[in-house]
Amino acid sequence: MSHYLSFNSVETIPDLKASAAFTVNSSEVFREQSDILPVTIDEGYQYMPWGADNEMPYRILDLIESDETLSTCQIFNAEVCYGSGLVYDTKEATAATRKDVAHYLMDNDLPSYFLGVCQDFKHFGFCVSIIILNGNGSRIVRILRKEACYCRFAPAEKDGHIPYLLYANWRKSLSSKDQVEKIELLDQHSPWSDLQERMQSQKGKRPKSSTRKFAIVSRVPTPDSTYYPIPYYGSLFKGNWYNIKRLIGMAKEAKLKNSAPIKYHIEIANRFWDGIFKAEGITDRKKQMDRVVEEKEKIINFLTGMENSGKVLFSTFYINPNGDEQHDVVINKVETDKEGGDWSTDIIEAVNMMCFTMRVHSNLVGSVPGKSQTNNSGSDKRELYTIAQALQKPYHDLLFTVHNIIIRYNGWEGVKPDCPFIMLTTLDEKRDAKLVTPNKPVEE
């Protein structure tokens, strides 16, 4: 049996030839219903939760993976940030340095690493790179990526420095430090100076630290500086369009299955179910699923039948710090004017709003759905693709920090990190594409 408990479903309403859609409000992914305080696993192992329940990154991933448009836009953004891949430019280096760099690249899977950190950047606004030094601490020999969703920061010290991060599978309940990997974190504002001080890189001085493994965090600066930045596309979940697009898909599915249009959209908060499980002491997954089905049947029975006419539904709500009402249960009646239609106009609008929020032109990831499509010309698409890649410059600058540290620490003179992007060309150049760097074009 699957351990995933889904609260989203479409249920048939007896005698009405209609259906009711149950969904969870997507804005709750960013809910902060309580003060976030450090959590202690063991002595010397503390972390700041990511969200009120420490589940925010997994809720974000679930929302992204549940929508075709959103997941496609995310991988497109990551691929555009990847460009033609991370390279170490050694054209101005000596032959000995080139050989040393080539040996380093053979020991490190840079393509996998770079695509991974690009995805972390686009999903969560930060990424974590791990550098590993050799035994005597004289050289950096490995670079690895730690998935951002499994990283948690330690509480900051008085000077604002975060001393370490913890890497673990936070989807599970952790009770021992043996289930967690603790990694020392270099100062986010000056990682190079911090590394130098720890390793005492000057000749004749022994390293202060015996540690040979450090984490370097690259993060997108946000207006609200927090431990874990809120991604720029968070407005998509706080608004209505994500739920609208999902509701359209559920309505079409219900129409195709049994020609029963959705008459009610019932929105239920996660805390409503949590409250039921807690009040009734239900901890078993199977019993929780049965209880969800039972409660849905009660709500449907309340909505139907002559004997229920005029009855009143009571539900609790609270006021969040922004002054907005947050209800446990909201029942919305769905207009059925388009019972025989296919919502083609609405799905186009919903897809365009999602692509707009994700900063992806819909023609770059596929044709716009619907019967009437307005596709750009080839020249327009080529320019859109070029613009999308050019806008990755600030992200590359942030991602190059760790590689500049590696190059300088290893003493590789004349080496610099680079990420050329692919520029699509016109037919008069007699080729489909060429690689371009911020400095000069590179002939294929």
Side-chain angles (χ1 to χ4, degrees), residues 274-284 287-288 291:
D274 294 338
I276 291 179
F277 300 152
K278 184 176 180 180
E280 300 181 8
I282 304 174
T283 58
D284 182 71
K287 292 181 179 179
Q288 287 180 348
R291 185 64 181 87

Side-chain angles (χ1 to χ4, degrees), residues 14 29 43 63 85 95 131 137 150 161-162 187 212 254 264 289 292 422:
V29 71
E43 185 178 356
L63 290 175
I131 56 173
Y150 295 119
H161 173 64
I162 300 175
D187 191 335
R212 297 294 180 265
Y264 298 101
M289 294 175 67
V292 169
I422 304 170

Side-chain angles (χ1 to χ4, degrees), residues 89 143 166 186 189 208 210 251 284 312 326 330 392 408 414:
D89 187 353
I143 181 170
L166 301 181
L186 296 180
H189 303 292
K208 287 184 179 180
S210 60
D284 182 71
V312 179
Q326 301 292 322
V330 178
Q392 305 309 307
R408 187 164 185 178

Side-chain angles (χ1 to χ4, degrees), residues 111-393:
S112 177
Y113 156 82
F114 194 57
L115 183 57
V117 294
C118 287
Q119 293 196 67
D120 286 337
F121 241 40
K122 297 302 181 180
H123 278 78
F124 304 114
F126 76 97
C127 63
V128 178
S129 301
I130 304 297
I131 56 173
I132 301 176
L133 289 73
N134 58 5
N136 59 17
S138 61
R139 298 175 66 81
I140 298 174
V141 294
R142 295 292 305 277
I143 181 170
L144 302 169
R145 167 216 175 201
K146 290 294 187 183
E147 297 88 344
C149 63
Y150 295 119
C151 295
R152 298 293 184 273
F153 296 115
E157 298 172 343
K158 291 183 178 180
D159 61 356
H161 173 64
I162 300 175
Y164 60 88
L165 62 82
L166 301 181
Y167 178 79
N169 185 2
W170 303 101
R171 295 177 189 265
K172 303 188 302 182
S173 177
L174 304 178
S175 58
S176 170
K177 66 180 182 181
D178 295 334
Q179 300 172 283
V180 180
E181 181 182 4
K182 182 178 180 180
I183 307 172
E184 291 188 23
L185 179 62
L186 296 180
D187 191 335
Q188 296 187 54
H189 303 292
S190 54
W192 167 246
S193 298
D194 193 7
L195 179 63
Q196 277 190 309
E197 183 180 355
R198 292 172 189 250
M199 303 311 299
Q200 290 283 14
S201 58
Q202 293 85 356
K203 291 183 178 180
K205 292 187 178 181
R206 298 183 62 185
K208 287 184 179 180
S209 173
S210 60
T211 303
R212 297 294 180 265
K213 184 177 184 179
F214 300 99
I216 299 178
V217 173
S218 304
R219 60 175 291 157
V220 179
T222 55
D224 184 12
S225 180
T226 60
Y227 282 93
Y228 309 97
I230 299 296
Y232 65 91
Y233 57 86
S235 58
L236 187 63
F237 302 132
K238 293 183 178 181
N240 298 319
W241 282 105
Y242 180 86
N243 292 327
I244 289 174
K245 183 173 180 296
R246 293 199 65 188
L247 186 58
I248 292 173
M250 296 170 71
K252 291 176 74 72
E253 181 183 29
K255 178 68 177 177
L256 291 172
K257 281 186 175 180
N258 52 23
S259 297
I262 291 179
K263 189 174 182 65
Y264 298 101
H265 175 206
I266 304 167
E267 213 170 359
I268 301 180
N270 272 327
R271 61 180 178 274
F272 176 80
W273 302 111
D274 294 338
I276 291 179
F277 300 152
K278 184 176 180 180
E280 300 181 8
I282 304 174
T283 58
D284 182 71
R285 282 286 183 181
K286 178 64 169 60
K287 292 181 179 179
Q288 287 180 348
M289 294 175 67
D290 294 339
R291 185 64 181 87
V292 169
V293 173
E294 179 186 348
E295 191 65 26
K296 288 181 179 180
E297 290 177 351
K298 287 182 179 180
I299 296 176
I300 290 176
N301 291 334
F302 171 82
L303 294 173
T304 59
M306 290 296 296
E307 67 277 6
N308 291 324
S309 178
K311 284 188 175 180
V312 179
L313 172 68
F314 293 91
S315 70
T316 60
F317 72 95
Y318 78 100
I319 306 297
N320 68 10
N322 296 327
D324 301 324
E325 295 182 0
Q326 301 292 322
H327 292 266
D328 280 353
V329 180
V330 178
I331 299 177
N332 304 305
K333 187 172 182 179
V334 180
E335 297 295 334
T336 57
D337 295 340
K338 296 186 178 182
E339 180 176 340
D342 59 358
W343 293 276
S344 59
T345 304
D346 300 283
I347 194 67
I348 293 174
E349 192 174 12
V351 168
N352 283 332
M353 287 300 297
M354 280 194 165
C355 289
F356 173 79
T357 306
M358 300 303 297
R359 302 180 66 189
V360 176
H361 196 284
S362 54
N363 287 150
L364 292 178
V365 293
S367 60
V368 180
K371 294 179 180 178
S372 60
Q373 302 177 9
T374 305
N375 290 322
N376 294 72
S377 66
S379 298
D380 289 338
K381 292 179 180 179
R382 182 174 61 250
E383 292 303 318
L384 287 170
Y385 186 66
T386 300
I387 293 171
Q389 290 193 101
L391 291 174
Q392 305 309 307
K393 179 67 166 60

